């Protein structure tokens, strides 16, 4: 009897222990679910607080790894083509390991599977999936995998990749549910960060436009304003090079007036054709032109070399009204940087259009000021003609008449001299009136345009178009006589190259610093033979010596000839 009673007591006790253990397990599960929900809410709030896009992406990756207890996590941003990853953010891999592994993945294998099919993907062993083709050297071993897409306004922005659940466990359905919930919050956070970044970017463009408009309206120099356009556009777009070119009158060419940033000296002063340069194509088409790699773009003449180390580029016309573009702004990024997106190009185009409006208003203001000056000159000329000259003429006639009644010889001679002085004064005033009503140099082409025309005329004979670079105030600082000599020397130099050099390329550099004008013509031909005719060179030297200058000949590295003709602008 005693053993039966003991058995009855022991059996309920065992059932009670089982029930208590099950209750404890359910309490632990509930507590774990509560903690996980709490962690998910914390992660959602943490991600939502970020307004900087890069920091928001890192917060998303860190939160995902923590929520599902993954050793490694990554977020791949899908590029504009929708097939490759343009950015990759990781957690769990050190910078040293990343450097050993090499470039970030572009979206092949398992990662590409998620791009092609943006649905949750859970694997117990990565290597067993048909799309898997292994890892690169030095990559840490990975087996378990969980991937979910991140959507921003119904568009797939990128994917979350989670591998190696800690403790050797597998990712379960709850992990998928938690990660999908985080992905929804991540999409909202990314959208907010994008909108914030766009608003900040618009604010920077507006400030730049206001700065340019203020500079123009306050009478800033044209070169300074063009430099401001290049600097601000380069800063805002993160470009390594920014340049501005303007059209040259009656030449069909563009002159690069401003260049700032990487290898700017190779661009500054260049004369570009309309059909073999990115800026020329943008100007002639009155529309933006982009290039993924300016250093190897078949549309662009690579002579002279000027895009070393540069890759993505965009050229945008400054204004596209009835009068056509006023110039072109070129921006280029370093090799490896992302290409200019359609949104960036549109924003840059709007900025250039606003700059063109400001330039138009400034020109109208200058025209109005010029008209006021001319009207004032006309008034002064009329007053001089109608009042001063007439009174001087009448005074002269009176003195001349009075001279007949003067018997003293010396007095009569003095009156005659006074009449002559009055006649001379009248001539001076008439000359002044003519000067007031005549615009000096009207109808004459400047040195820049004449030099470009000479180079263009020589291109068919040479068999190629020489590169041209111009610097300084050539049209204003160089006197007409010296400009005529420059044009003659340039024409003779290019003719000599065509006749004797057998060259494949030539470079023309024309510059002035206000003290002297320098013309350099370099070719890669056979050089000047020792016993050859030198009458052309002698004529060039005589032109230089006549103005106190000199002619120098040299041989550049690699062969050919360099002709340097220099003349002072003002004799000491």
């Amino acid at each position: 009897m005693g053993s039966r009673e003991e058995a009855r007591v022991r059996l309920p006790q065992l059932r009670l222990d089982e029930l208590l253990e099950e209750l404890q397990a359910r309490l632990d599960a509930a507590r774990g679910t509560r903690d996980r929900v709490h962690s998910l809410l914390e992660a959602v709030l943490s991600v939502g607080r970020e307004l900087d896009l890069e920091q928001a992406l890192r917060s998303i990756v860190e939160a995902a790894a923590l929520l599902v207890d993954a050793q490694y996590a990554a977020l791949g941003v899908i590029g504009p083509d929708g097939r490759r990853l343009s950015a990759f953010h990781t957690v769990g891999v050190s910078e040293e390991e990343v450097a050993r592994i090499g470039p970030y993945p572009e979206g092949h294998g398992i990662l590409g599977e998620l791009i092609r099919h943006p649905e949750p993907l859970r694997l117990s062993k990565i290597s067993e999936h048909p799309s898997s083709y292994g890892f690169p050297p030095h990559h840490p071993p990975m087996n378990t995998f969980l991937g979910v897409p991140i959507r921003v306004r119904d568009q797939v922005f990128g994917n979350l990749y989670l591998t190696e659940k800690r403790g050797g466990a597998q990712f379960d359905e709850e992990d998928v549910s938690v990660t999908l919930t985080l992905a929804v919050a991540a999409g909202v956070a990314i959208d907010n960060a994008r909108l914030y970044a766009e608003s900040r970017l618009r604010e920077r463009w507006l400030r730049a436009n206001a700065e340019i408009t203020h500079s123009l309206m306050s009478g800033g120099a044209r070169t300074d304003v063009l430099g401001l356009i290049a600097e601000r556009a380069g800063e805002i777009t993160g470009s390594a090079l920014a340049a501005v070119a303007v059209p040259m009158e009656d030449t069909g060419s563009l002159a690069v007036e401003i260049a700032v940033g990487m290898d700017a000296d190779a661009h500054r002063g260049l004369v570009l054709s309309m059909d073999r340069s990115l800026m020329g194509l943008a100007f002639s088409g009155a529309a933006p032109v982009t290039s993924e790699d300016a250093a190897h773009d078949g549309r662009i003449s690579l002579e002279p070399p000027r895009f070393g180390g540069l890759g993505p580029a965009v050229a945008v016309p400054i204004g596209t009204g009835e009068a056509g573009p006023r110039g072109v702004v070129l921006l280029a990024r370093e090799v490896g940087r992302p290409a200019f997106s359609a949104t960036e190009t549109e924003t840059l185009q709007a900025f250039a259009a606003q700059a063109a409006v400001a330039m138009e208003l400034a020109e109208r203001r200058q025209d109005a000021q010029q008209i006021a000056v001319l009207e004032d000159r006309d008034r002064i000329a009329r007053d001089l003609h109608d009042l001063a000259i007439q009174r001087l003429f009448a005074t002269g006639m009176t003195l001349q008449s009075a001279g007949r009644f003067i018997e003293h010889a010396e007095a009569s001679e003095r009156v005659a001299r006074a009449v002559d002085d009055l006649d001379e004064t009248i001539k001076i005033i008439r000359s002044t009136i003519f000067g007031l009503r005549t615009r000096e140099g009207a109808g004459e082409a400047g040195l820049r345009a004449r030099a470009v025309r000479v180079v263009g005329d020589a291109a068919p004979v040479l068999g190629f178009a020489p590169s041209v670079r111009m610097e300084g105030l050539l049209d204003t600082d160089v006197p007409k006589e010296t400009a005529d000599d420059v044009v003659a020397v340039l024409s003779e130099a290019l003719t000599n190259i065509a006749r004797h050099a057998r060259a494949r390329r030539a470079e023309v550099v024309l510059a002035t610093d206000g003290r002297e004008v320098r013309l350099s013509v370099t070719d890669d031909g056979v050089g000047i033979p020792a016993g050859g005719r030198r009458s052309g060179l002698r004529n060039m030297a005589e032109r230089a010596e006549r103005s106190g200058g000199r002619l120098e000949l040299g041989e550049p590295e690699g062969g050919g000839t360099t002709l340097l003709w220099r003349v002072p602008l003002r004799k000491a």
Side-chain angles (χ1 to χ4, degrees):
M1 288 291 293
S3 61
R4 285 180 185 172
E5 290 296 330
E6 290 176 4
R8 286 197 191 105
V9 172
R10 209 177 284 125
L11 185 59
Q13 185 67 41
L14 288 172
R15 287 178 179 173
L16 182 59
D17 289 344
E18 290 175 359
L19 289 172
L20 288 172
E21 287 177 2
E22 183 178 351
L23 179 60
Q24 184 64 45
R26 292 192 178 186
L27 287 173
D28 291 342
R31 189 178 297 109
T33 302
R34 183 198 65 189
D35 293 343
R36 196 164 198 184
V37 170
H38 181 73
S39 298
L40 178 59
L41 290 174
E42 285 288 338
V44 169
L45 291 174
S46 174
V47 167
R49 281 194 293 265
E50 294 295 342
L51 287 177
D52 179 75
L53 182 58
E54 292 298 313
Q55 188 57 45
L57 297 179
R58 174 153 293 278
S59 297
I60 292 166
V61 180
E62 292 173 349
L66 183 65
L67 283 173
V68 300
D69 204 19
Q71 186 176 353
Y72 306 106
L75 191 156
V77 180
I78 299 176
D81 60 2
R83 298 191 301 271
R84 292 181 297 177
L85 299 177
S86 62
F88 209 72
H89 303 265
T90 62
V91 166
V93 183
S94 67
E95 293 183 3
E96 292 77 10
E97 289 176 309
V98 170
R100 286 199 301 271
I101 294 171
Y104 282 119
E106 294 185 354
H108 305 293
I110 297 296
L111 306 189
E113 183 70 20
L114 205 58
I115 295 174
R116 292 186 293 273
H117 306 287
E119 299 293 336
L121 179 63
R122 182 161 54 96
L123 303 174
S124 58
K125 197 172 184 62
I126 295 175
S127 59
E128 293 178 353
H129 193 278
S131 297
S132 175
Y133 61 82
F135 297 101
H138 309 295
H139 196 285
M142 296 180 180
N143 292 301
T144 55
F145 175 87
L146 172 61
V148 296
I150 297 176
R151 287 181 169 85
V152 177
R153 298 189 181 188
D154 298 327
Q155 182 179 0
V156 178
F157 172 83
N159 297 306
L160 266 176
Y161 309 111
L162 302 150
T163 60
E164 290 303 286
K165 190 175 178 69
R166 296 183 188 276
Q170 297 287 328
F171 293 109
D172 54 25
E173 288 294 337
E174 190 175 347
D175 291 328
V176 175
S177 178
V178 168
T179 310
L180 283 172
T181 303
L182 178 64
V184 173
V188 175
I190 290 169
D191 193 29
N192 288 339
R194 275 180 165 179
L195 292 173
Y196 178 72
E198 289 174 4
S199 66
R200 293 293 301 273
L201 188 61
R202 281 196 296 271
E203 182 183 353
R204 293 184 68 187
W205 283 118
L206 288 172
R207 281 203 305 266
N209 267 320
E211 188 178 1
I212 290 166
T213 302
H214 179 267
S215 178
L216 281 166
M217 292 307 176
S218 59
R222 176 173 171 272
T223 303
D224 294 339
V225 174
L226 293 179
L228 193 59
I229 291 173
E231 288 175 7
R232 294 297 175 266
E235 289 170 4
I236 295 174
T237 58
S239 300
L241 170 73
V244 176
V246 295
M248 301 181 66
E249 293 183 7
D250 304 324
T251 64
S253 303
L254 293 172
V256 181
E257 285 205 8
I258 302 295
V260 293
M262 184 174 174
D263 212 11
D265 290 341
H267 293 261
R268 193 179 298 115
L270 277 179
V271 176
L272 303 173
S273 67
M274 292 294 183
D275 58 348
R276 293 292 293 158
S277 67
L278 209 62
M279 300 177 95
L281 293 171
F283 185 89
S284 58
V289 178
T290 59
S291 174
E292 292 188 358
D293 186 2
H296 302 90
D297 195 319
R299 298 171 297 173
I300 303 172
S301 172
L302 300 181
E303 292 294 339
R306 58 191 185 278
F307 288 108
L310 296 171
V314 60
V316 175
I318 301 175
T320 55
E322 294 181 1
R326 296 178 172 275
V328 182
V329 58
L330 169 74
L331 300 173
R333 289 171 174 156
E334 293 183 80
V335 172
R337 292 288 310 282
F340 289 88
S341 65
T343 302
E344 286 180 308
T345 303
E346 289 173 5
T347 307
L348 180 60
Q349 193 173 8
F351 167 74
Q354 289 293 328
V357 171
M359 293 170 71
E360 175 80 15
L361 291 173
E363 287 180 7
R364 291 291 178 265
R365 181 182 178 186
Q366 290 176 354
D367 288 345
Q369 292 174 342
Q370 184 68 22
I371 289 172
V373 169
L374 293 175
E375 288 177 347
D376 202 34
R377 286 183 176 183
D378 284 341
R379 181 186 60 77
I380 294 171
R382 283 196 306 272
D383 290 347
L384 287 173
H385 183 273
D386 297 342
L387 301 175
I389 289 182
Q390 298 304 326
R391 296 195 65 175
L392 287 172
F393 184 75
T395 303
M397 291 291 291
T398 301
L399 287 174
Q400 194 172 20
S401 299
R404 300 174 190 158
F405 302 101
I406 299 174
E407 297 180 357
H408 194 282
E410 186 176 349
S412 178
E413 184 181 351
R414 287 186 179 184
V415 170
R417 283 203 304 269
V419 172
D420 292 339
D421 288 343
L422 286 174
D423 286 341
E424 190 64 31
T425 302
I426 290 172
K427 290 179 182 178
I428 293 172
I429 293 176
R430 281 177 171 163
S431 176
T432 302
I433 292 171
F434 180 78
L436 286 171
R437 288 178 170 173
T438 305
R439 298 185 66 181
E440 184 178 354
E444 293 184 5
L447 177 56
R448 283 174 175 264
R450 295 174 67 189
V452 171
R453 194 174 295 117
V454 168
V455 174
D457 292 342
V461 182
L462 291 166
F464 59 85
S467 67
V468 183
R469 187 191 311 279
M470 297 187 185
E471 298 178 5
L473 302 176
L474 294 165
D475 290 341
T476 56
D477 282 356
V478 181
K480 184 180 184 305
E481 296 76 11
T482 306
D484 292 341
D485 285 339
V486 170
V487 172
V489 171
L490 176 58
S491 178
E492 180 69 24
L494 294 175
T495 301
N496 287 344
I497 293 174
R499 289 177 178 173
H500 312 297
R502 299 200 295 274
R504 292 173 297 178
R505 59 181 296 270
E507 180 182 27
V508 176
V509 179
L510 180 57
T512 180
D513 56 4
R515 294 185 296 272
E516 70 172 4
V517 61
R518 300 179 301 278
L519 171 64
S520 170
V521 182
T522 304
D523 67 74
D524 63 349
V526 297
I528 301 175
R533 294 179 58 189
R534 294 177 176 259
S535 57
L537 294 175
R538 187 164 54 251
N539 291 337
M540 295 185 217
E542 289 175 356
R543 285 181 181 272
E545 292 166 1
R546 188 168 61 237
S547 299
R550 64 184 184 275
L551 173 71
E552 300 174 4
L553 299 175
E555 183 176 334
E557 185 177 348
T561 303
T562 295
L563 180 149
L564 177 60
W565 189 90
R566 56 199 308 165
V567 166
L569 297 181
R570 297 177 183 86
K571 294 183 179 180

